[in-house]
Amino acid sequence: MFANQSSVVQTGDTDVESLVQQMTLAEKIGQMTQAEKNSIPPEDVTTYAIGSVLSGGGGNPEPNSPENWAAMVRGFEEAALKTRLRIPLIYGSDGVHGHNNVYGATIFPHNIGLGATRDADLVRRTARITALELLATNVQYNFAPAVTVPQDIRWGRIYEGFSESTDIVTPLGVAYIQGLQDQNPRVLASAKHYVADGGAKWGTALTYNWMSENWQAPGDTYQIDQGDAEIDEETLRAIHLAPYKAAVDAGAQNIMISLSGWQGLKMHAHRYLITDVLKGEFGFQGFTVSDWMGISQLDRDYLTSVITAINAGIDMVMVPYDYKTFIATLTQAVESGAVTVERIDDAVRRILRVKAWLGLFETPFGDETLLSAVGSAEHREVAREAVRKSVVLLKNEAGLLPLPKSARVRVAGRGADNIGMQCGGWTISWQGDHGAITEGTTILEGIRQTVGETAQVSYDAEGTFAEDETAAIGIVVVGESPYAEGMGDNGDLRLTDEDAAVIKRMREGCDKLIVILLSGRPLLINEALAQSDAFIAAWLPGSEGQGVADVLFGDHPFTGKLPFSWLRSIDQVPLTALKQHPDGPLFPLGYGLA
Ligand code: BGC
Ligand code: BGC
């Protein structure tokens, strides 16, 4: 009955093969189309028999609430059920650290922090909670996990990776996929970005400029994001391909293709790596999805781009805006014979098999009864656990930490009372933002809740306090402003002057100084480290700042271990340079005081 008897996915009662036989070319191409939600009215989902709709980063309803999300997504899903064959839609979004576009959702540490925990079971639980919060809003497809293995910390997507080490990335990536997929109802995981996005070379970024619709020269805005990995195949396989092999073996049914390239060829055009290696050698049975405008980047001529990408093995296309032109162009490519009907049928079969395996033909929506669980105390408790296990203690002179709860502390720094900064990019909006962007507990609030009545906590962001005498203990929270993707490419990696000034002021006003760094990556901290008595790398912990206070005051021990080597000087990037550098790292991979 099924064309591909070796398929590992169970499709239940859905007869995928007979559906494919009934479909017109237009219906097939519709299934292969993924449109961005603001670009497509629900009626067009019906008219064009669209297979998937997505929210990009910040693709939120107004006002942004879990209930409005559920209604928005349901509207598209209902539109798909009005098509001739009633093939259900699959709605996708980036739940890369919780269902992070949704106001009030539980926000987990970004993957770099989860990498510091080395705790696969914890990662599985964070993914399960993310799945429940996605399903509450009717989203059944999560563009996560990134199983990237970043080799250059200047990259703006560094924090989306669990570690610089394949051995750490692989089990955590697998655990995340299992957390989304291994229980009903399932959420489809997307392992991304295939492949070697983390292996790109600084200065090779070649990016389509979405605004002006012109190609930008390498390095104009982005420096490394979407760049080229100039590595040999042995290195590609050992470092970057290995997590995908493990993901496929663990049941991954979706892989997102990278906007980067390998040896000068963009991945979206890479037939060898997509069709021969992933689908052939690895036996991947699910469907591949292109990344945002990834196909448009292949050639100035859109027809050429579409033919190249589909023939390379891309099954679903994240267009994401001009779906009508995409549909017309792919139709033309099939009619001219440049793309075969067999290739189209293969793509559609893969998509429908996954939809059937997810149970969408029986349950075409998520589960709105879960709405009350979005951002629940129970979910936040797991995020808090993830935070306290992710923070890494880099310095602790004379056993300063943990602090007694009776301590008199001064708290300063722009990160101390700043949910947005502790969440980083991919939170509520694509780039993220400072301030009270969503619900949660700031680090300052966490400290206040932990110390209780007896202690005295004073706070000033700038570190200016009225009292003349020096305080016993100062805590400064500084770090990086939120960023996402190539906007975070950064060849400097120093603390800002503002942050350095607050640290200096607090050093002068306090007997003991604790610095907490909020960052998506290791930064150049030599001076701050020397000025501090204790130093904590807290990464981008998300909405539950209480987890930081849990270890500061000894309610829980420090257990986090560095997921990346920590650089000593800027000539220690990328990782290959650090490994050859005579001075060695400031702190090695795996470092972390107890
Ligand atoms: C979207 C993101 C997307 C980006 C691509 C933004 O407008 O919100 O989801 O990744 O564009 O550059
Ligand atoms: C990013 C992907 C993301 C997609 C949709 C792209 O720009 O590279 O990681 O899944 O946008 O938001």
Side-chain angles (χ1 to χ4, degrees):
M1 195 149 91
F2 297 112
N4 192 339
Q5 295 291 349
S6 68
S7 165
V8 290
V9 296
Q10 301 296 317
T11 54
D13 293 335
T14 309
D15 185 345
V16 168
E17 199 49 40
S18 86
L19 259 183
V20 173
Q21 273 156 25
Q22 282 170 259
M23 290 167 82
T24 63
L25 179 62
E27 285 165 340
K28 290 173 183 174
I29 290 177
Q31 278 304 308
M32 295 172 68
T33 306
Q34 185 179 59
E36 187 273 330
K37 66 104 179 163
N38 285 327
S39 324
I40 187 163
E43 310 83 81
D44 273 13
V45 167
T46 315
T47 308
Y48 294 91
I50 297 292
S52 182
V53 172
L54 89 149
S55 279
N60 303 322
E62 275 295 331
N64 181 1
S65 68
E67 291 73 19
N68 286 344
W69 258 86
M72 169 182 87
V73 176
R74 176 180 273 270
F76 289 108
E77 289 165 349
E78 282 170 348
L81 300 180
K82 294 182 190 143
T83 55
R84 184 176 74 97
L85 294 170
R86 295 176 50 86
I87 296 174
L89 183 92
I90 186 162
Y91 195 100
S93 77
D94 297 277
V96 300
H97 62 147
H99 193 1
N100 44 60
N101 288 307
V102 179
Y103 184 90
T106 308
I107 308 295
F108 293 96
H110 269 296
N111 285 351
I112 193 169
L114 297 180
T117 72
R118 308 288 202 275
D119 187 339
D121 177 64
L122 172 65
V123 171
R124 187 178 297 109
R125 286 183 288 131
T126 68
R128 189 65 210 154
I129 289 170
T130 304
L132 295 176
E133 298 201 5
L134 288 158
L135 288 165
T137 64
N138 294 314
V139 176
Q140 319 102 332
Y141 180 10
N142 188 7
F143 303 132
V147 294
T148 179
V149 191
Q151 302 295 292
D152 190 329
I153 61 168
R154 292 171 292 185
W155 186 31
R157 308 196 76 157
I158 192 83
Y159 60 80
E160 296 185 57
F162 293 109
S163 172
E164 70 188 21
S165 162
T166 307
D167 293 343
I168 295 170
V169 171
T170 298
L172 299 185
V174 165
Y176 192 96
I177 292 167
Q178 291 169 339
L180 289 183
Q181 297 189 349
D182 281 7
Q183 278 176 52
N184 283 317
R186 294 176 169 125
V187 163
L188 178 63
S190 183
K192 72 186 190 184
H193 306 82
Y194 188 82
V195 55
D197 53 348
K201 188 179 173 195
W202 182 262
T204 64
L206 184 63
T207 309
Y208 196 79
N209 183 324
W210 329 103
M211 298 305 160
S212 66
E213 307 226 331
N214 281 317
W215 286 93
Q216 63 161 26
D220 266 4
T221 312
Y222 291 11
Q223 299 289 341
I224 183 168
D225 188 43
Q226 308 189 17
D228 191 61
E230 298 176 0
I231 52 177
D232 62 24
E233 184 160 350
E234 198 188 327
T235 310
L236 178 91
R237 284 182 177 265
I239 297 180
H240 302 283
L241 262 173
Y244 290 95
K245 173 77 172 75
V248 171
D249 291 345
Q253 297 297 335
N254 187 251
I255 307 277
M256 189 185 292
I257 306 304
S258 182
L259 296 168
S260 60
W262 179 48
Q263 295 185 346
L265 183 62
K266 282 282 187 185
M267 279 305 306
H268 286 247
H270 222 297
R271 194 186 159 97
Y272 169 65
L273 287 175
I274 300 174
T275 297
D276 299 348
V277 175
L278 180 64
K279 294 182 176 176
E281 189 183 322
F282 293 177
F284 174 62
Q285 298 284 333
F287 70 91
T288 58
V289 66
S290 62
D291 199 357
W292 193 278
M293 289 193 88
I295 284 185
S296 317
Q297 294 194 357
L298 297 182
D299 198 283
R300 276 180 189 279
D301 174 47
Y302 192 56
L303 177 62
T304 305
S305 298
V306 169
I307 293 168
T308 307
I310 303 302
N311 286 341
I314 287 173
D315 302 312
M316 181 182 278
V317 174
M318 189 189 289
V319 180
Y321 302 119
D322 191 354
Y323 53 94
K324 291 183 195 171
T325 299
F326 168 70
I327 289 168
T329 308
L330 183 53
T331 306
Q332 187 189 341
V334 176
E335 283 167 353
S336 75
V339 172
T340 64
V341 173
E342 288 70 39
R343 175 73 269 275
I344 298 292
D345 285 353
D346 171 52
V348 172
R349 224 174 252 131
R350 287 169 177 273
I351 293 165
L352 294 185
R353 270 200 315 250
V354 171
K355 287 185 173 182
W357 169 75
L358 285 166
L360 300 184
F361 287 88
E362 294 82 31
T363 313
F365 308 106
D367 181 359
E368 290 178 36
T369 65
L370 291 166
L371 275 169
S372 59
V374 175
S376 69
E378 193 191 332
H379 289 181
R380 287 177 191 278
E381 189 51 42
V382 176
R384 175 176 170 181
E385 175 190 344
V387 174
R388 66 176 174 251
K389 289 180 172 171
S390 69
V391 293
V392 180
L393 183 59
L394 294 177
K395 179 179 181 183
N396 193 19
E397 283 284 293
L400 173 60
L401 296 178
L403 296 172
K405 289 186 182 173
S406 57
R408 176 162 173 241
V409 294
R410 284 181 178 176
V411 181
R414 64 200 173 106
D417 196 25
N418 194 335
I419 291 278
M421 189 166 157
Q422 72 193 38
C423 287
W426 296 105
T427 317
I428 307 301
S429 60
W430 178 39
Q431 292 295 318
D433 207 349
H434 284 281
I437 59 169
T438 190
E439 290 165 3
T441 305
T442 67
I443 293 173
L444 175 67
E445 287 163 348
I447 292 171
R448 288 206 162 118
Q449 280 164 31
T450 300
V451 295
E453 302 294 298
T454 49
Q456 284 176 279
V457 179
S458 43
Y459 165 68
D460 179 70
E462 316 274 284
T464 312
F465 293 91
E467 307 103 292
D468 299 333
E469 42 181 309
T470 60
I473 291 163
I475 300 175
V476 188
V477 189
V478 293
E480 290 187 301
S481 290
Y483 54 82
E485 301 193 34
M487 307 298 281
D489 289 354
N490 179 353
D492 185 311
L493 300 179
R494 283 176 302 181
L495 294 182
T496 63
D497 292 346
E498 182 192 351
D499 284 352
V502 179
I503 293 173
K504 184 161 177 283
R505 208 170 296 134
M506 287 288 281
R507 173 72 284 176
E508 286 160 4
C510 304
D511 290 342
K512 301 286 180 198
L513 185 67
I514 299 156
V515 175
I516 300 175
L517 186 70
L518 292 174
S519 68
R521 53 186 146 203
L523 296 175
L524 288 165
I525 53 163
N526 304 32
E527 209 176 323
L529 192 70
Q531 288 168 316
S532 64
D533 296 284
F535 197 103
I536 295 168
W539 315 113
L540 299 169
S543 57
E544 305 313 306
Q546 183 71 55
V548 176
D550 287 344
V551 288
L552 265 182
F553 292 92
D555 284 340
H556 292 270
F558 282 93
T559 55
K561 304 281 174 234
L562 285 182
F564 283 83
S565 312
W566 202 291
L567 81 171
R568 187 184 291 279
S569 49
I570 196 65
D571 58 353
Q572 294 188 327
V573 289
L575 186 58
T576 46
L578 187 146
K579 285 187 170 157
Q580 287 157 17
H581 201 281
D583 298 342
L586 189 57
F587 300 106
L589 175 73
Y591 186 84
L593 300 172

